[in-house]
């Protein structure tokens, strides 16, 4: 039987990874597109030759893979560079994600969860999933959580939030929204569990 494909998204600090973890505990297979992107750009990663060709060999090294700080600085200051990088990475991420989902389905997973931070921005991804699950919270909560989790300065978190889809856009593409703002971790797990039994009745 084909597994249910769930697209999971949310702004930074919304609790998306926490929800993904609970879904895995319930039996879903997780396809983490950020992790795939990191592997593609790690030493010997499949994206490195194309990145070196487009951005110059100084952007990659055999020992460290992609120079992330340098690429981040370039992508922040030059939107066309960001688009060129995405033009290299997105097809490779899509291909890898598809292969991982096929393997999980063949192994009998009832559901495959695609963790896609940019799902709201990508019609392509939305067309590939059966359901979209959005994790949402107030911006002040995002800032507080990411400062605590990652030790970032407030303005760094705000800059990332400004680059992501606005909350109303993200909510507008959702089949279900989990509002993870004042929920305890336990209550959050309960919400995920009840959605799971709704979408995957035994
Ligand atoms: P994201 O993947 O969306 O960036 P995370 O799942 O990593 O967010 O959550 C950000 C931080 O907030 C983590 O440290 C996580 O443990 C914490 N967190 C998430 N949801 C809750 C919650 N309901 N109660 C308390 N802490 C939470």
């Amino acid at each position: 039987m084909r597994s249910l494909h769930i697209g999971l998204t949310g702004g930074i600090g919304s609790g998306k990874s926490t929800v993904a973890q609970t879904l895995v505990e319930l039996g879903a297979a997780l396809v983490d597109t950020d992790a795939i992107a990191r592997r593609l750009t790690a030493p010997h990663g499949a994206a490195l030759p194309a990145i070196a060709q487009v951005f110059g060999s100084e952007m990659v090294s055999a020992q460290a893979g992609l120079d992330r700080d340098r690429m981040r600085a370039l992508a922040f200051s030059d939107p066309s560079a960001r688009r060129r990088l995405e033009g290299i990475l997105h097809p490779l991420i899509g291909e890898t994600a598809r292969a991982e989902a096929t393997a999980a389905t063949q192994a009998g997973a009832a559901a495959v969860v695609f963790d896609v931070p940019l799902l709201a921005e990508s019609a392509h991804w939305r067309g590939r999933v059966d359901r979209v699950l959005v994790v949402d919270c107030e911006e002040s909560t995002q800032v507080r959580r990411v400062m605590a989790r990652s030790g970032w300065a407030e303005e760094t978190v705000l800059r990332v939030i400004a680059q992501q889809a606005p909350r109303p856009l993200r909510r507008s593409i959702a089949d279900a929204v989990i509002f993870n703002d004042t929920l305890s971790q336990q209550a959050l797990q309960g919400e995920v569990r009840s959605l799971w039994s709704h979408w995957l009745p035994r």
Side-chain angles (χ1 to χ4, degrees):
M1 202 178 75
R2 186 182 178 281
S3 48
L4 185 73
H5 286 188
I6 301 170
L8 172 67
T9 195
I12 187 169
S14 60
K16 180 172 59 68
S17 310
T18 309
V19 168
Q21 191 51 46
T22 303
L23 288 165
V24 167
E25 284 160 19
L26 288 166
L30 180 65
V31 174
D32 180 340
T33 58
D34 264 353
I36 292 172
R38 280 194 299 275
R39 283 204 306 275
L40 288 168
T41 52
H44 311 293
L48 295 185
I51 291 174
Q53 198 175 22
V54 171
F55 294 99
S57 55
E58 65 278 11
M59 199 54 98
V60 303
S61 77
Q63 299 79 29
L66 172 67
D67 185 336
R68 286 169 209 283
D69 291 339
R70 196 169 175 154
M71 183 54 92
R72 200 175 297 120
L74 178 64
F76 263 129
S77 65
D78 178 359
S80 77
R82 184 178 164 168
R83 280 194 297 276
R84 273 180 286 148
L85 178 65
E86 288 173 353
I88 296 169
L89 285 179
H90 286 183
L92 290 170
I93 292 171
E95 213 175 284
T96 311
R98 220 175 358 255
E100 288 188 8
T102 301
T105 302
Q106 282 168 355
V112 178
V113 173
F114 295 87
D115 181 334
V116 185
L118 300 179
L119 192 70
E121 292 90 332
S122 166
H124 172 71
W125 266 108
R126 290 203 304 283
R128 285 176 50 182
V129 296
D130 305 308
R131 303 271 197 290
V132 172
L133 171 57
V134 168
V135 187
D136 184 42
C137 69
E138 298 294 344
E139 188 174 298
S140 56
T141 306
Q142 292 180 268
V143 171
R144 179 169 44 75
R145 285 190 187 138
V146 179
M147 288 175 73
R149 181 194 63 190
S150 307
W152 291 8
E154 181 178 8
E155 69 254 30
T156 310
V157 188
L158 288 172
R159 198 166 58 167
V160 172
I161 291 174
Q163 288 214 330
Q164 297 185 331
R167 288 175 55 209
L169 171 64
R170 210 180 283 113
R171 293 178 70 110
S172 74
I173 61 148
D175 293 295
V177 176
I178 294 181
F179 187 58
N180 177 34
D181 198 79
T182 51
L183 294 178
S184 67
Q185 298 259 17
Q186 213 177 6
L188 175 61
Q189 284 191 2
E191 295 246 342
V192 177
R193 252 184 250 117
S194 84
L195 187 70
W196 177 264
S197 48
H198 181 60
W199 279 354
L200 289 151
R202 282 169 181 273

